[in-house]
Amino acid sequence: MPHSSVEQIQLDELLCWRVRYGSNTLLISQQGAQVLSYIEGERPLIWLSDLASFKRGQPVRGGIPICWPWFANLGQNPPSVQAMHLQPDSAPAHGFVRGVDWQLQGIQTSDDGIHLDFTFDIRLNPQPDWPHDALLQLHLHLDERLHIALTTCNRGDTNLTYSQALHSYFAVSDIRNVQIDGLQGSPYLDCLDGWKRQVQDGLQHFSGETDRVYLETADQLTIIDEAWQRRIHLHSSGSRSAVVWNPWISKSLRLSQFAHHAWQNMLCIEHANAADDCKTLSPGERHILKACIWSE
Ligand code: TA6
């Protein structure tokens, strides 16, 4: 088994863990159970902003923030997702689990890699404006790949409807020279044009701000990065929607913890249950959103 290690570290105000498996290094914070970065060998695969700040109550720019129990602004969600909230106009973007501590349930090193388990328990973190009994479980498994499983358990006695996304920031050589393979023919909602429904024609290239929710997505997507001679493979299950986002030049100027030029070297592809793909769980039911990330 390759050399592996786990060390607990403090990054400014945040308690974190640095997990190594062979030449792969994962950094994760207790706040948000957020993957902050993931490096394969010498090169980042998951991007972390050069201007990232590690402060309590503030999501870190980069990594894999967890958007739950809604993706984006609540008002852009299906009415059934919005109806779960008592004060929808005051709801924060991307839900309320990004900027709060999750509970570490355990870290295990075994022959098949390193496993980390975190939970976010509504009973321990009551949300007066979202009064539903749910338990979130995040399982991270690091071996030659990064495996992520986010489980939502409905412990209430009524149906639970939610949307979610693993808001993954990927490192790329130059967004103008990368393509996404696997979205061809998929319908998408253009968030920059009133969430109008369009259809992807051919490989996805980038020549401007892009913010789309793809639907009916395949379970395998690939980022083709010729300059770095790298293909990043994304395999998912439990999801039929994926968000593709790059802020480009002008929006970059309005983003926190984001250098003006950083748009060139990042690309978000977010495995989700968003829009038509939001989930409704009956009492006692659970749903697992999984993603597996690796490069070659
Ligand atoms: O996932 C794309 C998106 O919804 C964009 O519209 C942009 O707002 C991005 O998320 C970042 O959101 P944040 O709240 O993390 O700054």
Side-chain angles (χ1 to χ4, degrees), residues 47 49-52 61 175-176 246-266:
W47 177 87
S49 173
D50 292 342
L51 302 187
R61 178 71 64 192
I175 188 65
R176 293 164 291 195
N246 182 280
W248 217 254
I249 300 168
S250 59
K251 178 142 189 186
S252 295
L253 305 177
R254 305 194 300 273
L255 289 174
S256 61
Q257 306 175 57
F258 200 88
H260 291 176
H261 64 276
W263 59 273
Q264 297 175 31
N265 304 114
M266 52 69 68

Side-chain angles (χ1 to χ4, degrees), residues 61 71-72 93-94 98 167 169 211 243 245 251 255-256 270:
R61 178 71 64 192
F71 164 73
H94 293 319
R98 294 193 289 175
H167 198 296
Y169 288 76
D211 196 347
V243 182
W245 176 59
K251 178 142 189 186
L255 289 174
S256 61
E270 309 160 29

Side-chain angles (χ1 to χ4, degrees), residues 163-174:
S163 61
Q164 62 182 350
L166 298 173
H167 198 296
S168 306
Y169 288 76
F170 292 94
V172 296
S173 59
D174 184 329

Side-chain angles (χ1 to χ4, degrees), residues 4 104 131 146 149-150 188 216 226 229 253 255:
S4 60
L104 174 68
L146 175 58
L150 181 66
Y188 65 86
E216 302 166 28
E226 303 280 354
Q229 297 182 323
L253 305 177
L255 289 174

